């Protein structure tokens, strides 16, 4: 038996399966923000357009050229121009273009720099009906958000449908988004969402491009077409639609519709993770922890797991606990932090975290040994369906009934070329008291990434 052989039993107990995590998809940031809105990042500048009807965006080497309902906006370096009238606002990071009826407002880093109103704003083809469509769409946005009116999703749908009937594809995109995700009082309706998305996706509205990608992937009211689905999901991903990127990662991780390719999956997860998608951050963290699609990297895994955990992702919180429990190159074992993270995940419903916390209270790992707390958490794990919890709970209750404090034989120490163990913590302390184990003796226990000198381990140094 080698030293690494000792790591196997507990590792299998503390590692979850990536497939179960990847199926959950993150919602776009701010559902209301997706209404009649499109966004592109050019040379580090985020450009967001809200409202308006017919739109086109083309990027240049130094900025972007945008046409909204026939009005031309040019963003070039530090200069913003609307219909040829320019202003130099200095360096900036974010430009927001808001179209409200015939008024166009341009904000730079939150400060309004241009406001321009024209009467009878024409559409690209001079059709007055499209301008009316834009107004109806904007009314839908107002009712969706509750901007200046009492919020009403029903009225938002009414105005969006009127706008769509007059040719507004962005209104169709808004409807597709509403029914794909559902909102309060309006349940998810994927077939209806796809019906609206069919109208909007050819104009490259990212909501509908993503939805049609999923429709062709899952055969929702259309015949399954994996090649087209991947094309559409990639198109949405290129527009920084992170749920599309995450789904592409899922596809390559599973290998059901495409050849299984962990490296490709990791690349998609990483792209979405760096754009802030907490599900992709968690998935990418698991890949780095498990060494899928590249080298195992405990530091990188922990970094992305904590990013995701900060956004409330329970699986990522659990993974961060796993990494602190085992340690790895660049990450020291920290039982107290592992216990804290397991408890946070368990409080949010994570089954294995509750089981692990019960084990840690049983053995006094990172927490003060407490048989009653161990039983409490094991009961939680059992209620949630953990397969091993019933047997462990029976043993814990038997130990409490016998008035014993259970300790698992998990310690080893090196004596010459021999490995002595396994033994309980009290047994190892007895060997230290007898002088057989000193501060410089190498010891190992379940959960440690490598052997260490006894004097460097807090519970033994005490």
């Amino acid at each position: 038996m080698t030293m690494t052989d000792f790591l196997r039993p507990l590792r299998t107990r503390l590692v979850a399966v990536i497939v179960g995590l990847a199926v959950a998809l993150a919602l776009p940031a701010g559902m209301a923000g997706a209404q009649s809105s499109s966004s592109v990042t050019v040379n580090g500048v985020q450009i967001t357009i809200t409202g308006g009807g017919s739109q086109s965006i083309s990027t240049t080497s130094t900025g972007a050229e945008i046409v909204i309902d026939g009005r031309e906006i040019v963003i070039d370096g530090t200069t913003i121009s609307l219909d040829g009238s320019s202003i130099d606002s200095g360096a900036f990071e974010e430009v927001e273009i808001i179209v409200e009826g015939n008024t166009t407002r341009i904000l730079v880093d939150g400060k309004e720099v241009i406001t321009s109103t024209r009467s009878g704003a024409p559409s690209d083809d001079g059709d007055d009906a499209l301008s009316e469509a834009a107004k109806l769409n904007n009314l839908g946005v107002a009712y969706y958000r509750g901007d200046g009116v009492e919020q009403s999703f029903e009225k938002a749908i009414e105005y969006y449908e009127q706008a769509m009937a007059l040719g507004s594809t962005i209104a169709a995109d808004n409807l597709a988004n509403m029914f794909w995700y559902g909102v309060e009082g309006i349940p998810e309706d994927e077939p209806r969402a796809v019906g609206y998305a069919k109208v909007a996706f050819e104009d490259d509205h990212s909501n509908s491009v993503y939805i049609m990608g999923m429709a062709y992937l899952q055969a929702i009211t259309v015949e399954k077409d994996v090649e087209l689905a991947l094309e559409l999901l990639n198109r949405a991903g290129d527009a920084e639609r992170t749920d599309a990127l995450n789904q592409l990662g899922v596809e390559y991780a599973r290998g059901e519709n495409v050849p299984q390719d962990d490296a490709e999956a990791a690349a998609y997860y990483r792209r979405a993770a760096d754009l802030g998608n907490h599900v992709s951050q968690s998935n990418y963290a698991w890949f780095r922890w498990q060494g899928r699609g590249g080298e195992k990297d405990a530091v990188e895994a922990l970094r992305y797991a904590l990013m995701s955990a900060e956004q409330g992702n329970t699986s990522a919180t659990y993974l961060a606990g796993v990494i602190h429990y085992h340690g790895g190159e660049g990450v020291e074992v920290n039982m107290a932090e592992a216990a804290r993270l397991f408890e946070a995940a368990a409080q949010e419903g994570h089954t294995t975290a509750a089981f692990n916390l019960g084990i840690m209270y049983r053995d006094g790992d990172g927490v003060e040994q407490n048989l009653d707390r161990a039983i409490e958490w094991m009961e939680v794990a059992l209620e949630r369906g953990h397969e091993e919890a019933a047997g462990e709970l029976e043993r814990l209750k038997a130990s409490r009934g016998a008035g014993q404090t259970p300790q698992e034989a998990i310690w080893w120490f090196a004596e010459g070329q021999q490995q002595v163990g396994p033994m309980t913590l009290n047994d190892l302390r007895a060997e230290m008291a007898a002088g057989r184990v000193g501060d410089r003796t190498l010891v190992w226990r379940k959960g440690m990434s490598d052997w260490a000198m006894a004097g460097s381990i807090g519970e033994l140094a005490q």
Side-chain angles (χ1 to χ4, degrees), residues 386-449:
H386 196 285
E387 293 181 356
E388 299 179 46
E392 186 59 43
L393 184 60
E394 185 178 344
R395 286 188 289 274
L396 286 169
K397 288 182 175 179
S399 297
R400 182 171 64 178
Q404 298 173 350
T405 300
Q407 281 194 350
E408 188 179 7
I410 57 174
W411 286 94
W412 300 72
F413 70 87
E415 189 173 59
Q417 298 299 312
Q418 300 297 315
Q419 300 163 13
V420 181
M423 64 186 64
T424 67
L425 177 61
N426 286 342
D427 290 339
L428 182 57
R429 285 172 173 163
E431 295 288 354
M432 295 182 75
R436 190 178 177 188
V437 174
D439 285 347
R440 300 182 63 82
T441 302
L442 290 177
V443 298
W444 184 89
R445 57 151 295 163
K446 291 181 181 179
M448 291 174 56
S449 60

Side-chain angles (χ1 to χ4, degrees), residues 130 132-134 136-137 157-176 195-200:
L130 192 57
E132 183 64 24
L136 290 166
N137 179 75
I157 293 169
E158 178 184 335
Y159 283 115
Y160 286 151
E161 288 183 334
Q162 290 180 37
M164 189 180 76
L166 293 177
S168 172
T169 57
I170 201 165
D173 186 63
N174 289 338
L175 286 163
Y196 292 123
K198 286 178 182 177
V199 176

Side-chain angles (χ1 to χ4, degrees), residues 333-372:
V333 171
N334 187 332
M335 289 294 181
E337 184 64 5
R340 186 189 71 79
L341 290 162
F342 284 150
E343 182 160 4
Q347 293 283 8
E348 293 299 319
H350 199 287
T351 300
T352 309
F355 178 86
N356 291 346
L357 200 55
I359 296 295
M360 295 183 83
Y361 272 108
R362 181 195 72 184
D363 298 334
D365 290 335
V367 293
E368 186 175 349
Q369 194 174 46
N370 187 318
L371 190 56
D372 289 335

